[in-house]
Amino acid sequence: MGEQLGTLEELPQDYRDDMTAAGVAPLWPMMRNVLPHGAPNPVTRPGHWSYAAVRPLLLRAGELTPVEKAERRVLVLSDPGRGAGAMQATASIYLGLQLLLPGETAPAHVHTPSAVRIVVEGTGGYTVVDGEKLPMEEGDLVLTPGGEWHDHGHEGTEPVVWLDALDLPLFVYLEGSYATEGPLQAQRNRPDASQVEYLSSGLAPSRKLGAGPRRYPMMRYPWGRTEAALNEMAAYTDGDCAELDYVNPETGADVLPTMGFTAMRIGAGQRHAPPLRSSSAAFHVVKGQGKTTINGETIEWGPKDTFTAPVFAEITHEAGEDAYLVRVHDRPLQEKLGYYEERAR
């Protein structure tokens, strides 16, 4: 079939007027916009947010806006392809940097989108999910799945900052995004599940007869254990990037239905060139420095920076020193829809 399709301008004006009055439009002039041949044509463009540049703006927000007037004091990371103010870092992933100051609490609420917090800096912060108090230490990954009550607090002495990653764009598109507020939760008098039931990989609480696995058995993934596992794996990966997926410890499935999270270690001087993936991605640098080339555009990154890549992007990472990153991606959503794909470079 030929590439050239008919245009709207080729149709008589009276016919176009009659279609407008009837509330219809011809598909063929718009066909290639929604069904391009061979591969998608993404709006998303590579983005880079230097933490050194954003941090002063976050602290100023803490001076200008009390948490009571913000509910969640967040600076949104907007996709360059959509422009400032866009509530998307990629088509399906929302990112924001959130600040909590000593003594502050962010009120309890529950919402339809799911969220993950990757702790960027500070100690003494915590998140309470369904009554379980989750400490927030640098690099930790903390889940607040859709439909779970959660609030945040700060018992330390210095600012705490974390990166929010949500599937919010999906719920906004479906017109299903909303939140309900409530009182702060009563906290259980015990450590969180990552320190008790799921302290060691490969071990889970003994199963009772007839009891199925919990949907979200572990809400906190401590960075210390993740880094140690990456280092051990890197010793046996023959110079390649070491990668570990964050999974449900009971089922092995991704931690959330629509978003996946992968910890990465790229050794000093190493180069990592993954295949072209149909999933979009955001990369948060926990430690280290290096550069990444995305579709010919090179981003120089350092500790605590965040950068993004669109679907089917050609990505090459190079580490100047041992670097640890967390990749946020929408592969779980795409696999559920049956179209996740990888292509050779």
Side-chain angles (χ1 to χ4, degrees):
M1 187 174 180
E3 288 289 325
Q4 190 63 41
L5 299 178
T7 67
L8 191 63
E9 290 71 24
E10 292 172 346
L11 300 171
Q13 185 62 52
D14 65 317
Y15 181 62
R16 290 151 62 184
D17 293 342
D18 289 345
M19 285 192 295
T20 300
V24 299
L27 171 63
W28 55 96
M30 305 180 287
M31 177 82 80
R32 295 290 181 258
N33 296 336
V34 294
L35 288 173
H37 280 176
N41 183 23
V43 173
T44 305
R45 294 292 176 261
H48 176 220
W49 295 270
S50 162
Y51 189 63
V54 177
R55 186 178 187 273
L57 299 175
L58 266 177
L59 296 180
R60 184 86 192 279
E63 298 170 1
L64 296 173
T65 306
V67 73
E68 294 79 13
K69 295 188 70 173
E71 187 172 335
R72 298 296 193 266
R73 193 192 291 112
V74 177
L75 295 183
V76 178
L77 311 187
S78 296
D79 165 38
R82 294 174 169 85
M87 297 283 280
Q88 293 166 271
T90 75
S92 63
I93 300 170
Y94 160 99
L95 297 176
L97 283 166
Q98 183 164 173
L99 169 70
L100 203 61
L101 295 173
E104 290 184 334
T105 57
H109 67 190
V110 61
H111 44 63
T112 47
S114 290
V116 160
R117 329 293 176 175
I118 302 173
V119 185
V120 179
E121 84 166 80
T123 58
Y126 63 87
T127 292
V128 181
V129 183
D130 193 25
E132 185 171 47
K133 184 178 180 180
L134 310 170
M136 301 180 80
E137 305 292 338
E138 287 190 22
D140 287 1
L141 189 144
V142 176
L143 306 184
T144 55
E148 299 283 346
W149 284 96
H150 57 278
D151 55 74
H152 309 292
H154 190 354
E155 299 169 326
T157 59
E158 299 294 332
V160 166
V161 177
W162 62 81
L163 179 71
D164 291 322
L166 283 78
D167 52 9
L168 178 65
L170 173 65
F171 282 83
V172 171
Y173 185 79
L174 294 172
E175 297 184 348
S177 182
Y178 71 94
T180 303
E181 294 186 24
L184 294 177
Q185 303 169 77
Q187 300 170 15
R188 298 178 201 152
N189 186 24
R190 49 150 281 175
D192 71 278
S194 73
Q195 301 177 72
V196 182
E197 291 96 337
Y198 303 99
L199 184 61
S200 181
S201 176
L203 296 175
S206 183
R207 292 151 176 78
K208 294 183 173 63
L209 180 64
R214 292 166 56 197
R215 190 176 185 191
Y216 302 111
M218 191 167 105
M219 298 288 190
R220 173 178 174 248
Y221 293 75
W223 175 254
R225 300 211 300 256
T226 304
E227 183 176 332
L230 284 171
N231 288 338
E232 187 67 17
M233 186 175 182
Y236 298 96
T237 53
D238 223 6
D240 197 8
C241 171
E243 292 188 316
L244 292 168
D245 290 334
Y246 291 87
V247 299
N248 180 320
E250 292 276 358
T251 66
D254 290 288
V255 293
L256 291 174
T258 59
M259 290 192 298
F261 299 83
T262 301
M264 305 169 59
R265 182 190 186 277
I266 309 171
Q270 286 184 353
R271 181 177 180 273
H272 176 56
L276 310 186
R277 298 179 172 118
S278 61
S279 54
S280 63
F283 299 86
H284 176 69
V285 185
V286 180
K287 295 180 180 180
Q289 60 85 25
K291 64 181 180 180
T292 296
T293 301
I294 304 170
N295 292 339
E297 179 180 335
T298 299
I299 293 169
E300 304 269 355
W301 43 262
K304 307 182 188 305
D305 286 3
T306 302
F307 59 96
T308 54
V311 300
F312 286 115
E314 185 172 287
I315 302 171
T316 303
H317 304 288
E318 297 177 72
E321 61 187 42
D322 289 351
Y324 300 84
L325 299 87
V326 176
R327 177 167 60 94
V328 186
H329 52 88
D330 53 8
R331 176 174 175 169
L333 171 63
Q334 294 192 8
E335 287 183 330
K336 288 179 176 63
L337 295 173
Y339 81 98
Y340 177 74
E341 181 184 354
E342 294 184 358
R343 297 181 182 181
R345 295 168 69 97

